[in-house]
Structure formats: C-alpha cells, structure tokens
Amino acid sequence: MPTDPNAPHAKSWPLLPLFFSALVLPVVAAILVYQLDSFDAAPMPLHELTHPFDPPLLRNERILQGAELLGAGKFQGPEDFAYDSTSQVIYTGTADGWIKRVWLNGSAGETVVEDWVNTGGRPLGIALGLNNELIVADAYKGLLNVSRDGDVEVLADEAGGVKLKLTDGVDVAKDGTVYFTDASYKYSLHQFFLDIMEVAVSPLQDSVVFCETAMRRCRKYYIQGNKKGQVEKFIDNLPGLVDNIEYDEGHYWIGLPTENTGFWDLALRYPMVRKAAAVAERWMGRPRMEKNGGVLSVDVNGKPVAHYQDVGLSMVTIGIKIKNHLYLGSFMSPYIVRLDLDQHPAQRKS
Ligand SMILES: *[C@@H]1O[C@H](CO)[C@@H](O)[C@H](O)[C@H]1NC(C)=O
Ligand SMILES: *[C@@H]1O[C@H](CO)[C@@H](O)[C@H](O)[C@H]1NC(C)=O
C-alpha cells in the first residue's frame, strides 16, 4: 500500500484499469439476497448527499509509522477478510484466485500464510457461513460456497435471469440468509473496476448497511420489523471513496481506499471529466491519485468514532479489529498491514 511508483506489481496487474474507468460508465447496482428477494439501488443520485460529514474525534493519521507489514510478497491484493476466531485464521481472497489462510496462532504474533483454495476467479467479498463454510463473492464466478474441506460450489451466478458480472460484497445473517452485491449487470472486472457496493448485516439482524463506493456513503436497508423494505441514510459524505464494511463489537469498520479529492467530485458530476480522464488513461497510463487511504470506525448509529489512515496508503479496502490489533487489506498491496492499537491508538486532536 505505500505508494512506491517503482513497485513491480503496480504495472503488471490486470485489474488496475481502474477506479477511473469505474466512473466512465453508468452504474447499475443491486443488493441481492440469496434465496430471498432483490433490491435495486438508484444510480448516482448526487443531490441526495445533503448531510455533512461530522469528523471523528479520534485520529491516527500516520499509521504506517507503527505498523507491521505481514506476509510481504505473499498476497496480490488481499481485498476482504473473514476471521475465524476458533482457529485464529484470517481468510482473504487475492487477485491470482487464491483464498489464503493467515494463521495467527503462532507465538509472539508470528503469522503463517497458506495458499488454501483457488477459485479460478477473483475472490472479493468473503464471510463465514453458519456451517463452518466460507461464502465468497467472486467477481468472475459469482457467489460461492467453499466448504471446510476446500470444495467449491457455485450458489448463484445469476439473479432474476440476469448473469452476475461483478459479485463483490457479502455477509451472512444469523438466520443463514446470505446478502451479497453485484456491481453491474453489464460490465465485468476485466473491463473496468467498479467496486460499487458492500454490505454488512447489523448486530440486531434487522438491517443491512450497504456502502456505495463512488457515492461516498452508506445506507441502511431494513430486512425486518415495521420498517422492512425501507432505506435510510446511515452515513453520508465520507472523506474518501468507500469499500468494504464489516461489523464487529459495537462498530462498523469502513475501508476508505483513497481520500476524497476535488477530482472525484468533478468526475462524478461531469461526464466530460470522466471521459477526458479515461482517454488520458488510455494514452498515458493511469496516474496514481489514490492516497491517504485508511479505515473509519463508526458506531451503530452511523456516527464516526475513529479514523486510521496514512498518506502512503492507497486502495485500502478492508479494516478489521482482532483483539488489540487492526488489520488492513488492500485491493493492490502485496501484504496485510497490522497495527497495535494499544501502542498506536487513534487520539483526540488537540
Ligand atoms: C496453528 O494451528 C494449526 C492448525 O491447528 C496447526 O497446524 C499449527 O501447527 C498451529 N501453529 C502453531 C504455531 O501453533
Ligand atoms: C456449503 O457446503 C457445505 C458442505 O457441502 C454445506 O454443509 C453448507 O450447508 C453449504 N452452505 C450453503 C450456504 O449452501
């Protein structure tokens, strides 16, 4: 994640054609419910972004100064994490198709990284199922069930007769219902990177919080109770593009791949800017614009609590807290960032 322009992985990756092109084409996004109903989100209603962002009181803006880089060179973009506390394993999917197991049970915090199962696709979202299986949102293969023995079964590769093209975020409710998102009915990942929606089931199991990358916001979709079917604001005007959201012990953790820059606002508002950027990218390569990536923790009401970031981090897609450590994954990095929160906490700015 530190932005090193000479990093060898930066050029050779097939997934890089971006974030830019992400914005070139109209967005069609949907939350889909495995074996339930479906819900279509509206495309880019920018006028709805009316609530200002209330910055968190607690910040650590230089997390790389205290962080360790785990498994350097063993990952190609660990995009999302699922943590199994029984075996002390982090599961993560990478660009070469592997679901890797990161064993945290070693003494003195040693970690072992193991290539476990290869989906043959691009595993993105990953969540633990109720029967010890992993539910994986694979950009190319659809929604997968990976059993503890490593057998891969396709649960869904179409919805309502439409082929899934960029299955992305996933979470499993306590009743076993799988919520997942598919970013586009029209375009798949090798055509452009449009990482548009991510989901997390609320602790009360009454709603699903979903984040819309380019809109820089998360909303709450009620799945039970008298508000069932309604969509509400959760958090608006986030300080960067948004990626995965996870719930853990009282907080949602929201990955922010890059800070918000004037460019993104322009690009969202004016199609000409998106087009010019796409043309420039084709001829000159993609400029490195992402920086100040990190993760934001918010409470169950959507109020920001703490922001962890670094100017040298980009494309942070996931943050989770395990015991007293924060683990960050990225769509591009060759490692996992680990920060000891006792030693390097977010602090109140004086
Ligand atoms: C971690 O757990 C795995 C599976 O039980 C085991 O094979 C491995 O030896 C353990 N590692 C350590 C360092 O205890
Ligand atoms: C996934 O596969 C395992 C093993 O076949 C099965 O026990 C489990 O119920 C499956 N999970 C889902 C959500 O289909």
Side-chain angles (χ1 to χ4, degrees), residues 87-89 103-107 110 112:
S87 53
Q88 299 182 56
V89 168
W103 294 88
L104 304 182
N105 59 341
S107 55
E110 281 164 43
V112 174

Side-chain angles (χ1 to χ4, degrees), residues 133-281:
E133 75 276 46
L134 282 183
I135 307 294
V136 176
D138 188 297
Y140 300 126
K141 304 282 175 173
L143 187 69
L144 307 177
N145 175 358
V146 182
S147 77
R148 274 304 149 107
D149 299 331
D151 298 325
V152 180
E153 177 199 357
V154 177
L155 294 175
D157 59 5
E158 61 160 49
V162 182
K163 192 119 182 90
L164 299 177
K165 284 277 181 66
L166 211 175
T167 314
D168 182 358
V170 65
D171 202 2
V172 182
K174 287 187 180 140
D175 68 1
T177 307
V178 177
Y179 293 88
F180 68 106
T181 62
D182 193 69
S184 170
Y185 286 134
K186 284 187 180 152
Y187 309 105
S188 52
L189 196 56
H190 58 265
Q191 290 164 295
F192 76 119
F193 169 41
L194 176 47
D195 192 8
I196 200 65
M197 298 230 294
E198 305 288 343
V199 289
V201 180
S202 72
L204 293 175
Q205 306 290 305
D206 65 337
S207 58
V208 174
V209 176
F210 65 95
C211 297
E212 298 165 277
T213 301
M215 289 289 287
R216 295 191 290 109
R217 70 172 175 190
C218 304
R219 292 199 289 167
K220 188 187 255 195
Y221 174 54
Y222 284 90
I223 53 178
Q224 278 182 30
N226 48 15
K227 287 190 178 173
K228 187 174 172 181
Q230 289 180 28
V231 176
E232 261 177 17
K233 160 192 138 78
F234 184 69
I235 187 167
D236 267 6
N237 275 312
L238 283 155
L241 298 187
V242 194
D243 208 284
N244 288 298
I245 177 165
E246 302 271 329
Y247 175 79
D248 176 45
E249 293 177 20
H251 295 105
Y252 288 93
W253 295 83
I254 301 173
L256 301 174
T258 173
E259 72 182 344
N260 188 34
T261 61
F263 173 79
W264 295 113
D265 274 354
L266 283 177
L268 277 176
R269 278 170 214 280
Y270 301 108
M272 274 311 292
V273 175
R274 306 203 286 268
K275 178 145 185 179
V279 170
E281 188 205 354

Side-chain angles (χ1 to χ4, degrees), residues 304-318:
V305 175
H307 192 177
Y308 302 86
Q309 66 178 151
D310 197 288
V311 68
L313 282 173
S314 74
M315 303 299 273
V316 174
T317 43
I318 179 71

